[in-house]
Amino acid sequence: MPYAADSGHDIGPDPRRSAPPSRNAPLAERGPVRAAGKFFVEDGRKIFLRGVTYGPFRSDDPDQAYGTPERAARDLAQMAAHGFNTVRLYTVPPPWLLDLAGDAGLRVLVGVPWEEHVAFLDSRATRRRIVRAVGDAAARLDGHPALLGLAVGNEIPAPIVRLYGAKRIERYVAELCDAARQKNPGTLVTYVNYPTTEYLELPSCDFMAFNVYLENEPTLRAYLARLQNLAGERPLVLAELGLDSRRNGLEAQATALDWQIRATFAMGGAGVFAYAWTDEWHRGGNAVEDWDFGLTTRERAPKPALAAVSRAFAEAPFAPGGEWPRISVVVCTFNGARTIRDTLDHLARLDYPDYEVIVVNDGSRDDTGEIARGYGVRVITTENRGLSAARNTGLAAATGEIVAYTDDDAYPDRDWLRYLASAFMRSKHVGIGGPNIAPPGDGFAADCVAASPGGPVQVLLTDEIAEHIPGCNMAFRVDALRRIGGFDPRFRTAGDDVDACWRLQDQGWTIGFHAGGMVWHHRRNSLRAFWRQQIGYGRAEALLEGKWPARYNAAGHYDWRGRIYGPGLTLPLVAPSRIYHGSWGTAPFQSMYKAGPPLIAALPLMPEWYLLIAGLAALGMFAASWPPLLLAALAVPAAIAVSAVQAIASARTALAARGQNAPRGIRAVALVALLHLAQPLARLTGRLRHGLTVWRRRGTAPFAWPSPATVALWAERWQAPEARLAVLERKLAETGACAVRGGAFDRWDIEVRSGILGGARVLLAPEEHGGGRQNLLFRIVPAVPRLAAGFAATSAALATLAASDGAYLAAAALGAAAAYVVVRIVHTCGLAFGEFKSALARVAAELDPAPAA
């Protein structure tokens, strides 16, 4: 299946149509607005929603809820003249209002009002009436060129959500979205949320809309970063923001709206609705007269806020001019002829004042080089040396202050570099990354891969600080990247981005994340390509573990400190979550906290599960000798069934999370479930092929019997215990031992890991002898994993039972397994003891000798 760029599908902003549509162009001549990744497009052009809320006004006649047509026409014409392109209404308007909006070139986001503030789920009749009302509104508006989309609800109060529980509300909102789409398939659908129920997960919405009123710019920016991560791969729109001029003054209102709008767009927001067009506003039939949020007075006289909003919208997402750092964009490619045209098309039309494009052709055997030279970019052709070497070649050739990397199967958003550069300019981060989103239309298989684990994803420590940014969308300060020596050439296909991020962070620097710096990234479009990719990632894991053994646990897994964003091994059946409501539900910002699943729950979708199944099958082979082992044979299909159930549940969750971009039907669930099962097996294959095995060893010291021991070292000059431990840690590193520091709650200081079956730990207890003299007592004890000890004990017990039943063949097999594990435990613990004793001997050699007796 060809990629979308080859097949002609419209998958995002068309770089050949980058000019914005005429503000006065009739809407009937323009296509509908649709969501495309983090932004909106219209007729292939990226647009931002520059909106304002309008009405309703006091009237006994529903057709007059927006005043007279004459007054509405004047209002809408003024909106268009001041640069607005969208209007938000809170009720379904009469047809003439939509016609007037269309005549003014304005899109309309229509809210369907219903009783959000009451316990609506208690009555089946009420629920059905609301669904019917949403469907009827969608049908009435179907086909109108001025319609932007439908808001099927607005701010269901937190107590009501708490009453029913988040899941019931989420299901009901999804039902409303489905009702709208059934009657009006082409329109955008959303629900307008607010901070008090931010935890609602609503993948049924085409874009995320929030009403947010924050009067401090750093606080708003921080909260926007959080909302962007909640929005995921969808556009984020602030459906209301503003300030009351009655209490704060006209100038304060204008100033606040200016920075609120600019901050929203700078943080990657796709649209803003200023609240409101006029101070005149009615609610529940009553005039609201104790606040003045309007950009105009009740008599439609403009306030200073109107000019401020107009200027901010005209300059969105960034003000023109100013000093922008030079950026070198590097594309490393090997046989990328199929997709690199798409990459270079979009790079050529980036909206950025000072950048260069460098293509490093890493020994391609197709016509990649010729294609790239046709774009007039700098092309550097080398022999095939691997991805890291190619990235270093681009780094050496870069003339910018910042070097940005993307892949030959990815292409950036028009404002990609501005978002990244703005993040560098307002922070001290040495690296910045952004989301990479799978474009729709790449084919059924690629769409399923996009909902599967194993893709390039960011790992965030906070909403704006990353632990890892993927190589298809990463940028660095050139001087910082050069100071660490660039990328490590041992990583030929993957893993170099992880390694570089770790080395930068080891220097005490930070890496940032900006949701607006978006690229589209094609996923693998066949099961075979996915399998080969995951084997390559397994190889990269093995190489990373070899270089960074202390960052991996005994089982060979890296435990990310941050949260992984993107498709992963989701565990919907067991993954716990808690919602922070505050005491009695009073918290103004109520968030969901998701804890990691327990190991026993995650195991069915981990590589080690397949080894466990193989072990059970091996035991089952001895069932003829000893019938109780038939249980092991029966456990094999049960274990496979557990994996299948977890994979299917994960597939359904992952597809639902992708919303309208996900493929539908049983076929999609089946393929995504298969990919969930195949991914850990492919990773395991790659890891085992390249040395990441359970019997791997780090270090070179000889074996020492692993019985608890205390090594005493005399020091004539005082040093803090942590300094002594740091010296020991360095000595261990000199021989390649895997040394891990103890945590704040551990009763040990350093652990040496020699394998999955054992290690050793040391605890330092210094004796103070006056005059700065110290007797350093290093207590060394073996560290045996409970799982290993439990397996050995269980196997030995079963061997004894089998022997007592006369099943000597089974007893011999079980006894051999127990003996093997015990021997391996002693051996691995002894190697760790040897590392400690060897390192302590070298530490002792550097200490002042003890005084003569």
Side-chain angles (χ1 to χ4, degrees), residues 17 92 166 232 256 327 384 412 416 436 443 454 572 604 625 627 670 673 685 777 790 796 840:
R17 306 168 68 183
V92 181
I327 298 181
N384 182 247
W416 176 52
N436 68 96
S625 172
T685 302
L777 303 177
L840 286 171

Side-chain angles (χ1 to χ4, degrees), residues 107-129:
R107 302 278 187 180
V108 181
L109 176 62
V110 175
V112 183
W114 49 274
E115 302 91 330
E116 295 102 327
H117 61 284
V118 301
F120 55 90
L121 290 182
D122 283 346
S123 167
R124 179 178 298 180
T126 300
R127 296 197 307 268
R128 290 177 174 174
R129 179 173 53 77

Side-chain angles (χ1 to χ4, degrees), residues 701-727:
F703 175 88
W705 187 255
S707 61
T710 299
V711 177
L713 303 181
W714 183 265
E716 284 291 306
R717 286 182 291 184
W718 186 91
Q719 276 190 338
E722 53 269 26
R724 302 291 187 191
L725 289 166
V727 172

Side-chain angles (χ1 to χ4, degrees), residues 572 605 643-654 669-670 672-674 676-677:
L605 291 178
S643 292
V645 170
Q646 188 64 274
I648 292 170
S650 295
R652 290 168 61 93
T653 300
V669 173
V672 176
L674 177 62
H676 272 76
L677 293 171

Side-chain angles (χ1 to χ4, degrees), residues 331-385:
V331 181
C332 301
T333 180
F334 173 69
N335 292 340
R338 181 172 58 166
T339 55
I340 198 170
R341 285 189 179 89
D342 209 21
T343 305
L344 296 175
D345 273 341
H346 285 79
L347 287 175
R349 292 166 176 83
L350 287 171
D351 181 11
Y352 193 77
D354 188 9
Y355 74 101
E356 64 176 342
V357 176
I358 301 170
V359 174
V360 181
N361 181 20
D362 187 36
S364 296
R365 294 187 292 271
D366 58 11
D367 57 350
T368 297
E370 289 75 11
I371 293 172
R373 281 186 283 273
Y375 283 84
V377 300
R378 184 177 179 184
V379 180
I380 302 174
T381 299
T382 67
E383 62 181 6
N384 182 247
R385 299 175 299 166

Side-chain angles (χ1 to χ4, degrees), residues 739-790:
V740 181
R741 290 189 178 189
F745 298 95
D746 293 320
R747 291 190 58 218
W748 50 271
D749 297 319
I750 298 176
E751 178 181 9
V752 167
R753 295 171 179 165
S754 295
I756 194 172
L757 296 179
R761 293 170 178 171
V762 73
L763 173 67
L764 171 59
E767 294 179 350
E768 306 296 341
H769 287 263
R773 295 174 299 174
Q774 294 174 301
N775 188 33
L776 307 173
L777 303 177
F778 292 90
R779 180 67 171 169
I780 312 173
V781 296
V784 181
R786 293 179 180 176
L787 189 61

